[in-house]
Amino acid sequence: MSLRGERPQMPGKLGRAKRGEGEARASVRREEDPTATHADERSGTGALLEEVVQRGNLLRALARVRANRGSPGVDGMTVDQLSAHLRVHWPRLREDLLAGRYQPQPVRRCEIPKATGGTRMLGIPTAVDRFIQQAILQVLQPRFDPTFSPHSYGFRPGRSAHDAILAAQRYVAEGRGIVVDIDLEKFFDRVHHDVLMSRLARRIEDRRLLGLIRRYLEAGMLADGVVVERREGTPQGGPLSPLLANVLLDEVDRELERRGHAFVRYADDCNVYVRSLKAGERVMNFLREKFASLHLRLNESKSAVGPVWGRKFLGFHLYRHNGEVKRGVSAHALDAFKRRVRELTRRVVGQSLASVIETLNPYLRGWRGYFRPTQQVSVFRELDGWIRRRLRALRLKQWARSSTIYRRLRALRMRRDTSWSISNSPGGWWRRSLQLAVHLPPRWFDSLGLARLST
């Protein structure tokens, strides 16, 4: 961007916002107490838009949006074009924001496949709206986050899915072997705007900011060339949606805390751990009513009360080994992993093995990083072997002709009879790939740079 590059146009406008920085820092300190009342939570929130458009906050927001990349919105503007656009248009945008006149553009509808089947709907804001939402997030999150429940882990600084599964493991190790597994039906699509805005109004005094957030919630969605009005939902895709979800669901967290329950919530995934089925059914009935009061519904086909063993949570499952509670990769996550690897290692003749490995490696490293806390090392070794076998089958398919396969195998110093048998076998590529294990061993794939899951 650069907001640095706009010095002839912007410093007078952005500079005036700095006068409130000292008061803003003091207000953040006042809001560190997580037990604060609504009045305490709202202290210092009457002029938040001035903080949103403060120069330093904008520069951080721009850097984050550019780092996150993402697809263009309905206007087709990429994040690489954002800086130049802001250098010209920011003074007017800033004036409209502070005057309460700014109108967000519709979001672009985008559906991505879910690991469980079906699709997840995303709403992709324009680059400008992502920039403004990110600037709002950076002002609100430091105020809101300290007030959230310690049992909430999703989309919070310094917290992760790993922390959530470790907390769940600890609760089960303490003897809570029954889980109330909550799955909300299309949560981000069903958030009730009036309910959410009422919770935000308890924390924010600046009516201009409240109005801007309301307009972001109600911005239409472009689908098949038609802009559809939105009366509910905060579609995933914008920087603000996760924070708004935590604001709404914090009310549920606090009620569970008041009742003394051991639970873990990550965004809209919530597990409550109890010691008996009867207690679990009571919690389930309470949560069904509580979510209904927020105009949210349970997905009854996925929500359940039962033994913790075998149920997945954030891709993991818990199991007992030698009297201890351990973490493992869920069967569902393993199926999703294999499905994705099959897609990335399709036996396409025109694609080199090196390019396949280059495409595959980022996914393997990301998956390994996420599931590193698992205590099932053998699973990683088995998957490594399975991946190498798929790549051996791909190599055979790329050689294609029997004469080429024979010549290549002989170059690997394979015996004549074995080379002839493999090259002329009526079996498929997968079956024949098993016989290549000795001549294309793990160290050969290491030399090609293939990432390993096991280390």
Side-chain angles (χ1 to χ4, degrees):
M1 161 179 175
S2 211
L3 285 173
R4 291 186 182 88
E6 85 245 299
R7 190 163 295 279
Q9 300 176 28
M10 295 184 58
K13 295 182 181 296
L14 284 177
R16 290 196 293 271
K18 291 186 176 181
R19 291 177 297 192
E21 287 184 52
E23 291 86 346
R25 287 193 293 270
S27 70
V28 171
R29 288 194 295 271
R30 287 195 297 270
E31 291 160 12
E32 293 296 321
D33 181 6
T35 62
T37 64
H38 294 315
D40 294 331
E41 290 171 357
R42 297 201 330 169
S43 61
T45 63
L48 289 181
L49 264 181
E50 279 71 17
E51 271 194 73
V52 169
V53 300
Q54 191 268 336
R55 182 183 179 84
N57 186 54
L58 295 174
L59 290 171
R60 292 195 303 275
L62 179 62
R64 177 58 62 88
V65 169
R66 294 181 66 177
N68 289 344
R69 306 301 297 172
S71 303
V74 296
D75 60 357
M77 184 190 300
T78 67
V79 294
D80 293 329
Q81 298 169 318
L82 180 58
S83 297
H85 179 85
L86 292 175
R87 275 195 291 270
V88 175
H89 298 285
W90 176 249
R92 177 183 56 79
L93 291 173
R94 181 183 186 276
E95 183 179 335
D96 287 346
L97 284 167
L98 293 176
R101 296 191 300 264
Y102 180 76
Q103 181 62 50
Q105 294 192 63
V107 298
R108 179 172 64 85
R109 178 171 178 162
C110 177
E111 294 186 354
I112 60 173
K114 296 171 64 174
T116 55
T119 58
R120 174 180 287 109
M121 185 185 71
L122 300 182
I124 308 299
T126 64
V128 170
D129 282 324
R130 290 208 297 275
F131 167 67
I132 295 172
Q133 284 193 38
Q134 180 64 37
I136 296 171
L137 175 69
Q138 291 170 180
V139 169
L140 294 184
Q141 193 160 52
R143 287 174 161 80
F144 290 2
D145 196 77
T147 71
F148 290 151
S149 166
H151 298 272
S152 165
Y153 293 88
F155 307 110
R156 298 184 60 187
R159 289 169 167 255
S160 67
H162 294 165
D163 298 322
I165 196 64
L166 286 172
Q169 183 181 9
R170 184 172 62 252
Y171 292 141
V172 175
E174 292 170 352
R176 298 176 177 89
I178 302 296
V179 62
V180 184
D181 189 351
I182 296 297
D183 186 277
L184 293 176
E185 188 176 271
K186 297 183 178 180
F187 168 70
F188 284 93
D189 300 336
R190 296 279 172 81
V191 170
H192 194 279
H193 291 172
D194 289 341
V195 173
L196 174 57
M197 292 306 303
S198 71
R199 273 53 177 182
L200 285 172
R202 297 173 184 175
R203 297 171 176 264
I204 298 173
E205 291 180 343
D206 192 328
R207 290 187 174 275
R208 298 166 302 167
L209 181 55
L210 288 171
L212 178 59
I213 294 174
R214 166 73 83 165
R215 290 194 293 278
Y216 270 119
L217 291 173
E218 294 178 346
M221 176 173 289
L222 183 66
D224 300 323
V226 178
V227 176
V228 180
E229 290 186 2
R230 287 213 319 265
R231 301 186 183 279
E232 62 179 6
T234 170
Q236 293 169 275
L240 264 181
S241 290
L243 179 67
L244 299 181
N246 278 332
V247 168
L248 183 61
L249 295 179
D250 187 61
E251 183 173 320
V252 180
D253 297 342
R254 292 305 180 184
E255 185 61 26
L256 287 170
E257 285 179 348
R258 190 183 70 79
R259 294 170 177 244
H261 290 300
F263 69 97
V264 177
R265 183 176 66 80
Y266 191 94
D268 56 329
D269 288 327
C270 182
N271 278 5
V272 185
Y273 297 92
V274 296
R275 299 179 187 275
S276 70
L277 285 171
K278 188 174 182 180
E281 292 295 345
R282 286 198 300 269
V283 172
M284 177 65 83
N285 290 333
F286 153 70
L287 287 174
R288 187 178 285 109
E289 294 176 4
K290 183 63 181 177
F291 284 122
S293 72
L294 298 176
H295 295 260
L296 298 170
R297 294 200 299 267
L298 299 188
N299 185 331
E300 298 290 352
S301 65
K302 295 183 178 179
S303 301
V305 178
V308 69
W309 320 115
R311 294 204 68 85
K312 65 181 177 67
F313 181 52
L314 303 177
F316 293 86
H317 75 99
L318 299 176
Y319 65 99
R320 201 177 277 284
H321 180 71
N322 292 335
E324 295 184 9
V325 178
K326 302 285 187 178
R327 303 178 301 276
V329 185
S330 72
H332 176 271
L334 289 174
D335 290 343
F337 173 83
K338 289 190 172 184
R339 232 179 357 256
R340 182 58 177 154
V341 171
R342 287 189 185 100
E343 292 173 1
L344 296 174
T345 59
R346 291 190 301 272
R347 291 193 273 279
V348 179
V349 176
Q351 193 174 18
S352 71
L353 189 62
S355 65
V356 171
I357 290 175
E358 185 179 358
T359 303
L360 182 62
N361 274 344
Y363 179 70
L364 297 182
R365 293 190 183 106
W367 197 88
R368 180 183 64 194
Y370 182 78
F371 286 104
R372 187 176 294 278
T374 186
Q375 293 163 298
Q376 289 178 310
V377 179
S378 61
V379 171
F380 284 73
R381 294 198 189 101
E382 290 173 8
L383 290 175
D384 276 334
W386 177 78
I387 293 167
R388 287 192 291 266
R389 186 174 176 186
R390 281 201 59 85
L391 294 177
R392 292 186 191 107
L394 173 61
R395 175 57 97 194
L396 282 171
K397 176 68 179 295
Q398 290 171 339
W399 290 338
R401 296 168 62 89
S402 298
S403 58
T404 304
I405 295 174
Y406 179 82
R407 188 173 66 254
R408 296 282 191 172
L409 295 181
R410 289 293 292 142
L412 293 171
R413 299 186 178 182
M414 184 178 286
R415 290 173 41 169
R416 290 178 184 273
D417 57 343
T418 306
S419 299
W420 188 92
S421 174
I422 294 176
S423 60
N424 291 278
S425 171
W429 305 114
W430 179 251
R431 193 176 80 176
R432 286 191 272 179
S433 67
L434 187 60
Q435 297 174 276
L436 283 182
V438 173
H439 296 277
L440 296 180
R443 63 178 177 275
W444 186 79
F445 289 100
D446 293 341
S447 70
L448 295 178
L450 178 65
R452 286 196 187 208
L453 298 177
S454 59
T455 53

